[in-house]
Amino acid sequence: MQTQTQRTLASAASAAALALLLAACGTEGGSTGAGSGSDTVSPDLPVAGTHWTIGAVTVDGRRSAAPDGARVEFGADGRARGNSGCNTFGATVAVKGDTLTVSPQEITEMGCPEDRQRFETELVKAFTGPLKGKQEGEALTLTSPDGRNGLELTAEADLPLRGTTWKIDGLISGDTASSLPAGSGDKARLVLGADGRVSGNLGCNNFAATARVEGKTLTVEGPAATTRMMCTGPQMQLETKLYELLDGPLTYRLDHRTLTLTNAEGEGLGATADTATTGGTSEGAGGTGGQEPSASR
């Protein structure tokens, strides 16, 4: 049995622990009270719900420019999602004052050209651990405590469905998303014009069709007219798939700079805004020398 002295000491220890806990709570997320301005914690950096283009990363003091398509977004759920210019990645992010603590969690494993693979490795290293954030206008820099690693980010604006050149970069089947067939290239694109015309490239040939948008449904009134260029096997495989998809009603989901189109069976495509050609003509989107689609298949 506990003696009276033991019970007194335990009560004193509990009271001391409670006092420390209350003191800690009082200093987190705000000031400790009047006259303690030096202990005031700065407001959390407002990154939740924002989207950024990655301009460059610095690792061990060496700066590398980012490839096209490198970006990151910070969700309101404490998650960061992005693309290295090849693979997509995810991480958890805890924000306290002007410091973001990043814990990488997953990254896809698509094959990348050597230069993009090297940048991706540097990005993962730079976008890890505690990073001090500094925002000036549309620019945000994240820097490691020793100043040797960091990221340079620029705020992205949301893009509209119409007038944006959407680069097709994946296929969807139910809950599964996959990359385009190996060897099919990166020519597949589509543009929805203000005139109700959808056009672009199916991986080899240019195409054009009429389309209408009602609510969240994009209906392509096909079959689409296409050019008649010869294609490689992988290009033809992709072209056949896209030709079949772009015929009839599709549910679309627009998320900042990504677009998904799916049919009633859950088959569809994923696309990312191609900022290099957005606002241009369908020939710019197709990249096949300006050939006009001549006939439906």
Side-chain angles (χ1 to χ4, degrees):
M1 296 178 60
Q2 285 186 323
T3 65
Q4 181 64 34
T5 300
Q6 289 173 322
R7 287 195 295 272
T8 301
L9 290 174
S11 298
S14 299
L18 179 61
L20 288 172
L21 178 61
L22 292 173
C25 293
T27 58
E28 185 174 350
S31 66
T32 57
S36 58
S38 61
D39 295 327
T40 299
V41 177
S42 59
D44 288 346
L45 198 65
V47 296
T50 59
H51 303 77
W52 306 86
T53 296
I54 302 173
V57 300
T58 299
V59 173
D60 295 330
R62 186 173 70 89
R63 183 180 182 274
S64 300
D68 291 341
R71 63 188 186 278
V72 64
E73 63 182 71
F74 297 96
D77 57 357
R79 295 269 302 164
R81 301 170 181 84
N83 190 288
S84 67
C86 179
N87 282 292
T88 57
F89 62 86
T92 57
V93 179
V95 183
K96 185 174 182 180
D98 62 357
T99 299
L100 282 67
T101 302
V102 181
S103 302
Q105 289 193 320
E106 72 275 342
I107 189 167
T108 56
E109 297 181 352
M110 292 174 56
C112 308
E114 184 178 348
D115 57 340
R116 295 199 175 212
Q117 184 65 61
R118 182 170 57 251
F119 177 83
E120 183 173 284
T121 301
E122 294 174 343
L123 172 61
V124 171
K125 185 173 182 179
F127 195 52
T128 300
L131 300 168
K132 186 180 181 63
K134 182 179 180 181
Q135 186 171 357
E136 296 181 340
E138 300 295 302
L140 172 65
T141 57
L142 302 174
T143 310
S144 63
D146 61 7
R148 293 186 58 79
N149 298 340
L151 288 84
E152 301 169 25
L153 310 176
T154 303
E156 287 186 346
D158 292 340
L159 291 178
L161 175 65
R162 296 183 185 273
T164 300
T165 298
W166 298 104
K167 180 180 178 180
I168 300 170
D169 53 15
L171 298 174
I172 299 168
S173 180
D175 295 330
T176 303
S178 61
S179 56
L180 300 182
S184 62
D186 61 355
K187 294 165 62 177
R189 287 162 171 77
L190 62 87
V191 180
L192 183 66
D195 59 356
R197 184 172 180 259
V198 60
S199 58
N201 188 278
L202 296 172
C204 176
N205 283 287
N206 285 352
F207 79 95
T210 57
R212 66 179 187 276
V213 177
E214 298 171 324
K216 291 297 182 181
T217 300
L218 168 65
T219 302
V220 181
E221 298 175 338
T226 68
T227 54
R228 300 290 185 176
M229 292 178 61
M230 296 297 293
C231 306
T232 64
Q235 288 175 328
M236 183 57 71
Q237 178 187 351
L238 173 61
E239 184 157 301
T240 299
K241 181 67 174 179
L242 295 178
Y243 187 84
E244 294 172 350
L245 285 172
L246 296 172
D247 183 11
L250 299 165
T251 299
Y252 79 87
R253 182 167 62 86
L254 185 60
D255 183 11
H256 185 54
R257 294 198 171 195
T258 62
L259 172 69
T260 58
L261 295 171
T262 52
N263 61 21
E265 289 73 37
E267 301 290 318
L269 61 88
T272 304
D274 185 352
T275 55
T277 56
T278 290
T281 65
S282 61
E283 288 74 33
T288 57
Q291 282 194 332
E292 286 291 341
S294 58
S296 301
R297 293 183 179 179

